[in-house]
Amino acid sequence: MSCIPNWEQEWTLPYYLILLGFSCICICVLSDSSIWVPQAEIDAAVKLLLKLKVDYKQMTGQDYKAGCPPSENSIAPDNGPAADGADEDTVDPWNVATTNAKGVDYDKLIVRFGSNKIDQELVDRIEKVAGQTPHRFLRRGIFFSHRDMHQVLDAYEKNKSFYLYTGRGPSSEAMHVGHLIPFIFTKWLQDVFDIPLVIQLTDDEKYLWKDLTLEDCHRFAVENAKDIIACGFDVNKTFIFSDLDYMGSSPEFYRNVVKIQKHVTYNQVKGIFGFTDSDCIGKISFPAIQAAPSFSNSFPQIFGSRKDIQCLIPCAIDQDPYFRMTRDVAPRIGYPKPALLHSTFFPALQGAQTKMSASDANSSIFLTDTPKQIKNKVNKHAFSGGKDTVEEHRKYGGNPDVDVSFMYLTFFLEDDEQLEKIKQDYASGALLTGELKKMLIETLQPMITQHQERRKQVTDETVKQFMTPRPLNFKL
Ligand SMILES: *[C@@H]1O[C@H](CO)[C@@H](O)[C@H](O)[C@H]1NC(C)=O
Ligand SMILES: *[C@@H]1O[C@H](CO)[C@@H](O)[C@H](O)[C@H]1NC(C)=O
Ligand SMILES: *[C@@H]1O[C@H](CO)[C@@H](O)[C@H](O)[C@H]1NC(C)=O
């Protein structure tokens, strides 16, 4: 039996139901082989295997690796109550849901997605290779998972450089602080490794998925580019592009899109992204467009005809399905697989059960909020891990693990010692919820004001510079 690498389809392929007389016989296609087994038995076996894989990881600290390990991406999740009573988290590019106030269980996600944990050893190694204190997102496990980062560092140590690729789906003009996480981190990577960066704005995707006009999607892309530029990217090392513009102007980019399209079947994208027969064909072929920037010859103005330059993608973990697909296709079309760094989700003000929503102004702190709005939102809407009364809080202490103000501070407060002290004091009851919220407000207000000032400096001319295909300054 030959395995399809990385698609990990052993358990996922379609079940064909055939009714024969009064009985229902199910054929389950397992990779290339077909076996005849009743559905209930298949489900039970799948559940058992999933559990064994989790147990293996817990016992050994390592991912179970077989010739073609199973994917849990497209499998019906095990909905039975877990030991801690938490249901399975939902994580895909369009939905993030958990019932746990602490947020998504990221260790479980690493096992499910088959990625690797960013452990202390890797953080230390990045520090050594970069020669810089690791970014607080690395120190605090906000970027928590990776694929092939050691390989990127091995090559870098041998003077073989790489480039960065990240992106944003411009669904509205309004961006919130959570949207900045990949960009803040990518800027740090660009600075410490001194490498080129491409940023994809998927205005085409937003048109396909949302009830928006093409003109609006493109306009949102340009407006979002201003907020992205305000993060401080080096214009001589950064290319920002709208798919609607770049696809039509770069034959090399489109050639890669077509190569990818030829090597992914409908069954595969259906398994990964959950497309149905009623999804428009634009959605079905879109993953190839998000995959193409992972290959250096999609940008001949930057890399010439070189197709061997390693790509590193910092992104939120919900984008991983696109890049699992990309990594599967890459060797089959003669390209290196992109490496990845995954971040956790940024929680909504109302609690870590979901990620923020750009459509609910009260769910997040927006980059356009005034200091007064920030203060009101945090005070009125930030979910608190504190007790109901001051007396109880002083006596029993608060719970920083579910407190959204504390979570936000872990993203934005630079000082490790101060953060640790806040955590201890909150847990002991020495620090009250109002005082904790005040600290968050005083952290966010100057941060957002400074962002707004930098954004004001970004002229249409600056945007045009960043978004014009051109050579970039770098040494490889
Ligand atoms: C990498 O480049 C540096 C500076 O140019 C040089 O000193 C070093 O020997 C090179 N290392 C390797 C492994 O080629
Ligand atoms: C970009 O390159 C130009 C031309 O070499 C130079 O004048 C400019 O200072 C550079 N900008 C930055 C931000 O380094
Ligand atoms: C947001 O919160 C404010 C104050 O708490 C409230 O007046 C407003 O209606 C809320 N907006 C939405 C969209 O829920």
Side-chain angles (χ1 to χ4, degrees):
M1 183 182 89
S2 74
C3 294
I4 306 168
N6 249 25
W7 277 115
E8 309 169 2
Q9 296 212 14
E10 234 170 338
W11 320 109
T12 64
L13 286 182
Y15 302 115
Y16 299 102
L17 290 176
I18 300 174
L19 285 171
L20 286 178
F22 295 108
S23 62
C24 165
I25 298 171
C26 308
I27 305 171
C28 170
V29 181
L30 294 183
S31 199
D32 296 344
S33 68
S34 320
I35 45 171
W36 294 70
V37 187
Q39 184 69 55
E41 268 183 54
I42 297 170
D43 288 346
V46 167
K47 274 189 190 174
L48 178 65
L49 277 159
L50 291 182
K51 185 175 174 303
L52 285 172
K53 202 176 163 199
V54 174
D55 291 349
Y56 179 91
K57 171 106 181 178
Q58 277 170 353
M59 273 154 53
T60 64
Q62 288 177 348
D63 292 318
Y64 176 73
K65 284 205 185 75
C68 46
S71 160
E72 287 87 335
N73 186 38
S74 44
I75 208 165
D78 175 358
N79 284 325
D84 55 359
D87 291 333
E88 192 82 12
D89 301 328
T90 303
V91 177
D92 67 36
W94 306 282
N95 304 289
V96 177
T98 174
T99 51
N100 189 337
K102 290 183 194 171
V104 171
D105 184 330
Y106 291 106
D107 283 334
K108 271 195 197 160
L109 215 54
I110 287 175
V111 177
R112 262 175 68 194
F113 281 15
S115 60
N116 298 292
K117 195 180 172 83
I118 297 182
D119 53 14
Q120 192 56 44
E121 187 201 339
L122 180 55
V123 175
D124 292 345
R125 191 159 176 225
I126 293 172
E127 172 163 23
K128 185 167 152 275
V129 177
Q132 303 263 345
T133 307
H135 194 272
R136 61 177 185 276
F137 292 170
L138 280 172
R139 302 199 302 268
R140 296 177 192 161
I142 287 167
F143 273 80
F144 71 103
S145 155
H146 76 102
R147 295 184 190 275
D148 287 348
M149 189 58 194
H150 280 290
Q151 199 178 302
V152 170
L153 295 173
D154 289 345
Y156 190 80
E157 283 181 323
K158 292 185 188 128
N159 291 347
K160 239 186 116 196
S161 200
F162 58 98
Y163 75 100
L164 297 164
Y165 159 37
T166 190
R168 155 148 182 86
S171 51
S172 75
E173 246 171 88
M175 283 174 69
H176 56 62
V177 283
H179 291 139
L180 290 185
I181 305 304
F183 295 109
I184 293 172
F185 189 60
T186 302
K187 151 125 179 84
W188 181 80
L189 290 170
Q190 178 178 61
D191 289 349
V192 303
F193 288 105
D194 190 24
I195 42 176
L197 160 67
V198 296
I199 299 176
Q200 180 182 50
L201 302 171
T202 56
D203 39 12
D204 52 347
E205 179 224 336
K206 290 304 159 204
Y207 173 69
L208 292 167
W209 259 267
K210 306 239 165 190
D211 188 17
L212 294 167
T213 64
L214 269 175
E215 290 67 31
D216 279 342
C217 293
H218 186 261
R219 187 166 53 81
F220 295 155
V222 174
E223 287 307 310
N224 289 180
K226 292 181 186 165
D227 280 302
I228 293 167
I229 292 167
C231 291
F233 292 107
D234 181 342
V235 68
N236 292 332
K237 295 190 169 65
T238 307
F239 174 47
I240 304 178
F241 62 100
S242 126
D243 282 345
L244 291 174
D245 292 336
Y246 191 59
M247 274 277 278
S249 73
S250 172
E252 293 80 1
F253 189 87
Y254 186 57
R255 277 170 166 74
N256 276 340
V257 169
V258 173
K259 276 192 192 175
I260 297 156
Q261 286 174 343
K262 182 164 176 166
H263 290 82
V264 183
T265 67
Y266 177 50
N267 256 339
Q268 288 170 328
V269 284
K270 208 163 64 168
I272 302 170
F273 301 100
F275 295 139
T276 68
D277 288 355
S278 52
D279 278 310
C280 70
I281 59 173
K283 286 187 186 178
I284 292 151
S285 60
F286 173 75
I289 300 171
Q290 185 155 334
S294 314
F295 307 128
S296 57
N297 62 354
S298 292
F299 306 98
Q301 70 280 9
I302 305 173
F303 304 111
S305 60
R306 285 191 62 178
K307 58 177 190 178
D308 62 332
I309 301 167
Q310 171 76 55
C311 175
L312 172 66
I313 307 170
C315 62
I317 186 77
D318 59 339
Q319 297 301 302
D320 189 64
Y322 284 111
F323 301 117
R324 260 180 284 166
M325 185 201 87
T326 310
R327 286 167 55 85
D328 173 63
V329 173
R332 294 192 278 131
I333 55 176
Y335 298 148
K337 292 181 182 187
L340 285 128
L341 292 170
H342 299 123
S343 71
T344 61
F345 301 112
F346 193 77
L349 276 176
Q350 283 75 6
Q353 283 90 338
T354 55
K355 72 175 176 177
M356 284 177 156
S357 155
S359 49
D360 177 1
N362 287 335
S363 78
S364 29
I365 304 296
F366 283 81
L367 300 179
T368 47
D369 283 349
T370 62
K372 190 161 169 248
Q373 281 173 317
I374 294 171
K375 184 173 168 211
N376 285 339
K377 281 191 191 180
V378 171
N379 281 334
K380 285 195 185 124
H381 301 289
F383 183 80
S384 166
K387 296 289 183 290
D388 290 341
T389 65
V390 172
E391 290 69 37
E392 276 182 50
H393 189 88
R394 292 274 187 230
K395 192 166 165 200
Y396 301 109
N399 183 357
D401 290 340
V402 301
D403 188 282
V404 171
S405 301
F406 182 74
M407 289 182 202
Y408 278 25
L409 284 171
T410 62
F411 280 86
F412 297 118
L413 189 71
E414 180 59 29
D415 189 325
D416 291 343
E417 276 175 35
Q418 198 189 348
L419 187 71
E420 184 54 33
K421 185 165 180 345
I422 292 170
K423 185 174 185 175
Q424 307 261 327
D425 288 351
Y426 196 61
S428 76
L431 187 70
L432 297 174
T433 296
E435 294 166 331
L436 177 62
K437 288 192 169 189
K438 187 158 174 286
M439 287 174 177
L440 175 63
I441 291 163
E442 287 170 358
T443 304
L444 287 175
Q445 282 174 335
M447 192 186 106
I448 301 292
T449 306
Q450 283 159 22
H451 179 88
Q452 289 165 357
E453 278 163 13
R454 285 194 305 268
R455 193 187 194 278
K456 259 190 240 153
Q457 311 293 316
V458 179
T459 61
D460 290 343
E461 185 52 38
T462 315
V463 174
K464 206 173 142 204
Q465 260 182 303
F466 272 93
M467 297 187 74
T468 301
R470 66 206 188 283
L472 299 180
N473 279 359
F474 62 95
K475 288 196 293 276
L476 279 175

